[in-house]
């Protein structure tokens, strides 16, 4: 077994270390979501924490790590005889991004269940993590149905496996830690809310601190055991402090004054539901226990808010994380409690900072507008004329996007089999059952009726004599299911002079921003190609990070000629490369233009030939017609015909438009 990097040897990252330690003291806090750029010691910190966790006593031979003092009465390995127990280190179990549902929750032996009526159950990772740490690296890339199962188990403290009338339940209480790089995509807000605390981490810009990070890492890589031995005393001290805080935790008093501050803070920041209040209360209590106190101070409430609220304020991926600390301080001061020692609301007694920092010295959250949809203002009246140039001939300063709106569902026709999502019909592991087939590889979803039908004709030949059905592996049938998949939505945006009137470009950006929000909710990948002047650029290669696309869109300059053909050809090349990387994910091309083509030789003919490439390959496409004014040429509609797709106006794109709620992007294509 490799020697983990010592937790106390980490440099900086005070918020991250404090959040992990608070969950070690009180797992009821609800886990930690660690968000940050690559190379910021997220995984190192989580793995280092496992070495600090106190040992646990378990019932000997129990696969579900039951506590000998309080065994689970419903344990599948029970009932347990008293007295037999063993001590072992708390486990840290890693959940791979590509894990199956059976690997997470466990699997039933379907053959034995049908033939013998017994619950032959093989525990999964949730059972392994009971009374330890469950770590999910890149949790934002985990399939939604696995995240739902994971967070349900974390909330209920138990895992349930229900399959074809056979039910198994076992305890599953663990410290849940997820790490993610926001550049690779966001978690849905409702899933963010299920994590107790969240921490934003970034690499230090202080040279001395960076030097120390490199020095310690090189020393560890040269001699892991020796490096860990040099930090053994600090590790033992923190381990003992965790044990002491756990013992003190039941004695910590959360007074009415602190509760009023918690409720007022959650109300002031308009967080949804009551989970934030409960998490803040548990976090403030754990902070007091960690500091060795039995009373919760206002400073504990303040620190709990900084850890528990930022991710609960985000309504969409374009909202900037963080809290307004001035507003937080004003709220705490206004609702300061006066009902007992340590509850005076003045926060004079700072909690004892943990190893390497603790509650004090928090970095200022970046609460400045980031050019997202919420910060965007509508164009001012009378701004329809030519904007002022911002440098370079024919280039104009970027227009701010209009407010986003709810869009129609644009889907790819046919039946795909790409990654799970919420846009187009697909064959998936989850969804409604549409039929049965022989399993290819391991059986994951049993079709019971088809299995019984396959086994029934052979019962006499197999010598059946009892009530059980004699089932062979050849009889098993996999359920075929239909659900929804995520697609690659590639935006091809005209940024030429014909689109440059600020009111018009503002509306266009608002429409694309609305489509990006829709792509985020439907778990799509997105890409952005822009064309203007003499060429087209890949402003954003296909990614799961729709907020990155929004940032590129917001800063998009306009002006120059309209090289429509160049934009289409560049988009075609992007799709060609992406098919090699992810062949199962079907593309949806969204061309945002007025249909004009003025760049290069024979621009109209070249654009027509480029569009026919998409039609020949059957690529789903939609043209968002941005043409305005009393006289319309209908060029966008002609382009849609050449692409083999359909055209919608900006007004028709809205979900509440009279044109209807759903439009298939190839619904108007005539049958061949």
């Amino acid at each position: 077994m490799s020697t983990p990097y010592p937790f106390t040897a980490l440099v900086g990252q005070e918020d991250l270390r404090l959040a992990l330690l608070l969950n070690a003291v009180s797992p009821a806090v609800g886990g930690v979501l660690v968000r940050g750029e690559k190379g910021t010691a997220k995984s190192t910190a989580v793995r280092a924490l496992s070495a600090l966790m106190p040992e646990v006593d378990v019932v000997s031979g129990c696969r579900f790590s039951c506590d000998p003092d309080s065994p689970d009465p419903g344990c599948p390995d029970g009932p347990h005889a008293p007295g037999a127990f063993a001590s072992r280190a708390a486990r840290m179990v890693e959940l791979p991004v590509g894990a199956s549902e059976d690997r997470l929750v466990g699997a039933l032996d379907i053959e034995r269940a049908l033939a013998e009526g017994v619950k032959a159950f093989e525990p999964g990772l949730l059972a392994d993590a009971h009374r330890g740490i469950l770590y999910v690296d890149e949790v934002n890339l985990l399939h939604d149905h696995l995240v739902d199962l994971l967070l349900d188990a974390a909330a209920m403290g138990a895992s349930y496996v229900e399959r074809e009338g056979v039910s198994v339940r076992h305890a599953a209480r663990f410290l849940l830690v997820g790490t993610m790089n926001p550049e690779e995509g966001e978690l849905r807000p409702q899933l963010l809310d299920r994590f107790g605390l969240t921490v934003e981490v970034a690499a230090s810009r202080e040279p001395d601190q960076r030097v120390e990070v490199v020095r310690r890492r090189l020393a560890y890589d040269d001699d892991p055991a020796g490096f860990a031995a040099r930090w053994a005393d600090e590790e033992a001290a923190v381990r003992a402090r965790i044990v002491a805080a756990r013992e003190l935790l039941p004695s910590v008093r959360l007074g009415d004054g602190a509760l009023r501050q918690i409720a007022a803070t959650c109300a002031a920041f308009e967080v949804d539901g009551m989970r934030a209040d409960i998490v803040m209360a548990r976090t403030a209590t754990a902070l007091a226990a960690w500091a060795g106190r039995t009373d919760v101070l206002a400073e504990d409430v303040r620190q709990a808010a900084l850890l528990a609220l930022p991710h609960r304020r985000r309504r969409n991926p374009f909202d900037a994380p963080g809290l307004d600390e001035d507003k937080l301080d004003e709220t705490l001061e206004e609702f300061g409690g006066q009902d007992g020692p340590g509850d005076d609301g003045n926060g004079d007694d700072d909690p004892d900072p943990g190893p390497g920092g603790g509650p004090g010295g928090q970095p200022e959250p970046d609460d400045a507008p980031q050019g997202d949809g919420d910060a965007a203002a509508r164009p001012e009246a009378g701004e329809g004329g030519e904007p002022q140039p911002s440098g370079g001939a024919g280039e104009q300063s970027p227009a701010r996007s209009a407010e986003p709106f709810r869009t129609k569902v644009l889907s790819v026709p046919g039946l795909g089999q790409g990654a799970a999502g919420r846009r187009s019909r697909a064959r998936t592991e989850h969804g409604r059952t549409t039929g049965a087939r022989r399993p290819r590889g391991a059986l994951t979803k049993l079709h019971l009726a088809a299995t019984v039908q396959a086994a029934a004709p052979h019962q006499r030949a197999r010598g059946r004599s009892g009530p059980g059905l004699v089932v062979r592996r050849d009889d098993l049938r996999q359920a075929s299911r239909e659900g929804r998949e995520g697609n690659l939505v590639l935006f091809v945006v005209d940024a030429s002079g014909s689109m440059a009137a600020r009111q018009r470009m503002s509306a266009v950006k608002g429409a694309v921003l609305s489509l990006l929000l829709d792509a985020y909710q439907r778990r799509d990948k997105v890409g952005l190609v822009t064309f203007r002047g003499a060429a087209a650029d890949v402003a954003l290669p296909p990614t799961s990070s729709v907020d990155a696309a929004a940032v590129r869109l917001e800063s998009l300059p306009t002006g120059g000629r309209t090289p429509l053909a160049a934009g289409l050809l560049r988009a075609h090349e992007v799709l060609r490369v992406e098919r090699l990387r992810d062949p199962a994910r079907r593309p949806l091309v969204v061309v945002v233009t007025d249909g004009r083509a003025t760049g290069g030789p024979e621009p109209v003919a070249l654009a027509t030939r480029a569009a026919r490439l998409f039609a020949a390959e059957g690529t789903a496409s939609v043209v968002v017609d941005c043409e305005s004014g009393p006289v319309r040429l209908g060029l966008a509609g002609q382009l849609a015909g050449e692409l083999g797709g359909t055209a919608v106006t900006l007004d028709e794109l809205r979900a509440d438009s009279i044109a209807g709620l759903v439009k298939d992007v190839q619904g108007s294509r005539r049958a061949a």
Side-chain angles (χ1 to χ4, degrees):
M1 180 177 178
S2 61
T3 303
Y5 191 92
F7 188 85
T8 51
L10 294 169
V11 179
Q13 308 295 17
E14 289 84 1
D15 283 356
L16 171 57
R17 288 188 284 165
L18 178 63
L20 291 172
L21 289 169
L22 292 178
N23 274 272
V25 170
S26 176
V29 165
V32 187
L33 175 65
V34 187
R35 297 162 41 90
E37 59 197 22
K38 52 188 176 292
T40 49
K42 300 187 297 294
S43 301
T44 299
V46 177
R47 294 187 175 100
L49 178 69
S50 63
L52 293 179
M53 300 291 285
E55 288 191 342
V56 295
D57 293 334
V58 298
V59 174
S60 297
C62 177
R63 298 174 297 166
F64 301 88
S65 301
C66 279
D67 185 345
D69 295 331
S70 174
D72 179 11
C75 176
D77 284 355
H80 299 299
F85 72 93
S87 295
R88 62 162 174 78
R91 292 172 179 158
M92 192 196 76
V93 177
E94 293 194 43
L95 173 61
V97 168
S100 66
E101 180 179 335
D102 286 346
R103 184 71 185 102
L104 176 63
V105 301
L108 294 169
D109 188 328
I110 301 298
E111 288 185 73
R112 292 192 62 192
L114 287 174
E116 304 172 31
V118 299
K119 297 178 183 178
F121 181 72
E122 183 66 28
L125 295 177
L126 291 179
D128 292 342
H130 180 46
R131 305 176 67 202
I133 301 172
L134 182 61
Y135 172 47
V136 189
D137 193 14
E138 307 293 353
V139 65
N140 51 326
L141 303 182
L142 197 65
H143 285 182
D144 284 354
H145 71 281
L146 292 183
V147 176
D148 291 336
L149 289 170
L150 178 65
L151 296 178
D152 283 344
M156 295 185 296
S159 175
Y160 294 84
V161 182
E162 304 282 349
R163 187 166 297 175
E164 307 300 344
V166 181
S167 176
V168 173
R169 174 213 165 273
H170 64 83
R173 293 183 297 274
F174 45 82
L175 194 169
L176 175 63
V177 184
T179 56
M180 59 175 281
N181 183 350
E183 294 178 356
E184 297 172 343
E186 287 283 357
L187 280 174
R188 303 196 312 270
Q190 58 268 41
L191 299 184
L192 279 173
D193 183 59
R194 299 296 292 272
F195 282 93
L197 309 180
T198 188
V199 178
E200 299 279 341
V201 297
S204 172
R205 299 300 185 258
E206 175 60 42
D208 290 342
Q209 196 170 74
R210 295 175 73 97
V211 167
E212 186 61 23
V213 169
V214 174
R215 181 182 291 119
R216 292 187 186 183
R217 185 70 208 192
L218 292 177
Y220 170 76
D221 290 341
D222 288 342
D223 182 10
F227 184 82
R230 291 196 291 274
W231 290 88
D233 292 343
E234 288 84 349
E235 294 281 286
V238 174
R239 190 180 299 109
R241 188 173 174 184
I242 292 174
V243 173
R246 284 185 173 184
E247 294 174 351
L248 183 63
L249 187 65
S251 304
V252 175
R253 174 177 173 271
L254 182 66
D256 289 343
L259 280 172
R260 280 195 298 272
Q261 288 181 316
I262 290 170
T265 300
C266 292
F269 286 100
E270 300 179 347
V271 297
D272 296 331
M274 295 299 298
R275 185 174 284 118
D277 304 62
I278 297 170
V279 170
M280 274 190 65
R282 289 172 173 165
T283 305
T285 304
L287 279 162
W290 178 247
R293 290 183 274 99
T294 56
D295 289 295
V296 173
L297 303 179
E299 182 60 29
D300 298 328
V301 176
R302 185 182 192 277
Q303 182 64 52
L306 292 174
L307 292 172
L309 295 188
H311 61 301
R312 293 186 165 88
R313 293 183 60 247
R314 305 188 79 191
R315 298 296 189 269
N316 63 61
F318 312 140
D319 291 340
L323 291 181
D324 182 341
E325 295 199 36
D326 291 337
K327 180 179 178 180
L328 174 60
D329 291 336
E330 291 171 4
T331 303
L332 293 176
E333 183 177 354
E334 180 181 355
F335 292 89
Q338 300 290 338
D339 63 342
D343 204 11
D344 56 2
N346 57 25
D348 289 338
D349 297 324
D350 292 336
D352 184 5
Q362 303 304 322
E364 288 290 327
D366 183 5
D367 203 33
Q370 299 296 317
D372 57 28
D374 291 338
R378 293 184 182 276
E380 297 177 0
E383 204 177 9
E386 289 298 320
Q388 296 296 320
S390 63
E395 181 173 316
Q396 298 155 357
S397 60
R400 301 298 297 271
S401 65
E403 292 290 337
F405 52 84
R406 191 165 63 91
T407 68
K408 291 178 182 178
V409 180
L410 303 175
S411 61
V412 178
L415 193 64
Q417 51 186 2
R422 299 190 172 193
R423 183 172 296 278
S424 306
R425 295 174 54 224
R427 299 182 185 90
T428 62
E429 290 296 320
H430 300 270
R432 63 185 182 90
T433 301
T434 58
R437 58 177 174 80
R438 290 182 180 273
R440 303 183 188 97
L443 179 73
T444 55
K445 295 291 182 181
L446 179 76
H447 194 295
L448 181 59
T451 299
V452 172
Q453 187 176 7
H458 308 291
Q459 296 305 295
R460 180 175 296 178
R462 293 173 183 174
R464 172 183 168 182
S465 57
L469 191 68
V470 181
V471 179
R472 304 280 172 81
R473 183 159 295 276
D474 288 345
D475 302 327
L476 299 179
R477 294 296 182 268
Q478 175 83 24
S480 299
R481 301 197 174 196
E482 182 178 309
R484 295 282 171 177
E485 67 176 0
N487 299 115
L488 166 60
V489 182
L490 182 62
F491 294 93
V492 186
V493 179
D494 185 349
S496 65
S498 68
M499 305 280 290
R502 293 186 73 80
Q503 279 188 326
R504 187 176 177 192
M505 198 61 198
S506 176
V508 167
K509 286 187 175 182
V512 178
L513 189 67
S514 303
L515 290 166
L516 282 171
L517 276 169
D518 183 66
Y520 161 71
Q521 293 164 352
R522 300 187 188 282
R523 315 303 287 165
D524 296 318
K525 290 179 73 173
V526 297
L528 179 61
V529 173
T530 64
F531 56 95
R532 57 183 289 271
D537 297 312
V538 181
L540 184 72
T543 174
S544 297
S545 179
V546 296
D547 53 341
V551 171
R552 305 291 175 87
L553 176 71
E554 195 67 39
S555 60
L556 179 66
T558 58
R561 291 184 174 273
T562 311
L564 177 57
L568 295 175
L569 290 173
R570 180 58 62 92
H572 186 268
E573 176 63 17
V574 169
L575 294 185
R576 185 190 68 80
V577 174
E578 193 63 21
R579 285 191 190 99
L580 298 176
R581 295 174 176 167
D582 192 357
R585 189 181 290 267
R586 297 187 296 163
L588 169 62
V589 178
V590 179
V591 185
V592 185
T593 181
D594 57 9
R596 288 179 172 84
T598 60
E602 299 183 355
V604 176
L606 188 57
T608 298
R609 290 198 296 271
R612 288 174 180 171
L613 292 175
F614 293 88
E617 295 175 352
T619 302
S621 60
V622 60
V623 177
V624 179
D625 185 358
C626 303
E627 191 173 25
S628 60
V631 179
R632 303 197 178 205
L633 303 178
L635 298 177
Q638 296 176 25
L639 175 63
E642 298 294 347
L643 286 166
T646 190
V648 295
T649 65
L650 289 174
D651 289 338
E652 291 173 339
L653 194 61
R654 294 179 179 271
D656 53 0
S657 69
I658 8 178
L661 294 179
V662 179
K663 180 182 287 292
D664 243 355
V665 296
Q666 288 185 334
S668 62
R669 177 184 289 180
R670 295 181 179 177

